Amino acid sequence: AQKVTQAQTEISVVEKEDVTLDCVYETRDTTYYLFWYKQPPSGELVFLIRRNSFDEQNEISGRYSWNFQKSTSSFNFTITASQVVDSAVYFCALSVRGGATNKLIFGTGTLLAVQP
Amino acid sequence: NAGVMQNPRHLVRRRGQEARLRCSPMKGHSHVYWYRQLPEEGLKFMVYLQKENIIDESGMPKERFSAEFPKEGPSILRIQQVVRGDSAAYFCASSPWGPGGYEQYFGPGTRLTVT
């Protein structure tokens, strides 16, 4: 069975602080894909990043960076110099290769509040 | 290129009525997914459709819920005889390809309230 755990329910930081959102996943499949989505207060879901299980390179996009470690089954997300606009719920998700579907299995999300 | 469109954005139904939620995928996308977000919970997969076919409905409740994605027109998620427990945000997502871990692009969601 597949599972995604986001142990941090809520995080509150002050603007310009760095913050890391944790994501731990479980799967027995050797080929799988990991995602992060952002859900701002307006409610829509915004795609941030996709990673496949064979690519453990860390990725940086502006103030965002992702650390994928297969050894610990983690795919953590760091925001550097946080801003108020980063306030949102962040979801980590997993999909596995094989079968006829591509469904995403989501964690329960981490609510990030960035205070001015 | 317009994103995924969902309508209505907000829908209020009384218990026992029917709810119809519509989803138009991004241009060029023929794979549609529906997810439900209950209050205080994450998103749960409901159903995956390609044009005219239901591929995976393992997350759909057995009764009262159905989905379709006709050759022409939007995908429809239909909930018959709604109950208060159906109150949730329903999200549609689309992708250009099927299985293979491709990213899914989400619509703004439909917030269903059952009174």
Side-chain angles (χ1 to χ4, degrees), chain A residues 33 35 37 39 42-47 50 89 91 95-109, chain B residues 9 33 35 37 41-45 48 55-56 58 91 95 97-108 111:
Chain A
Y33 308 87
F35 304 81
Y37 284 86
Q39 187 176 39
S42 51
E44 73 275 20
L45 278 153
V46 179
F47 166 76
R50 166 187 179 267
V89 179
F91 291 98
S95 73
V96 298
R97 186 174 179 174
T101 191
N102 190 30
K103 64 184 179 185
L104 294 173
I105 299 152
F106 283 88
T108 49
Chain B
R9 295 291 304 275
Y33 302 80
Y35 294 84
Q37 185 175 30
E41 292 188 20
L43 291 101
K44 304 290 186 186
F45 166 79
Y48 162 42
I55 307 301
D56 180 359
S58 59
F91 289 92
S95 71
W97 301 285
Y102 300 103
E103 55 265 35
Q104 298 175 20
Y105 295 92
F106 283 78
R111 271 83 183 161

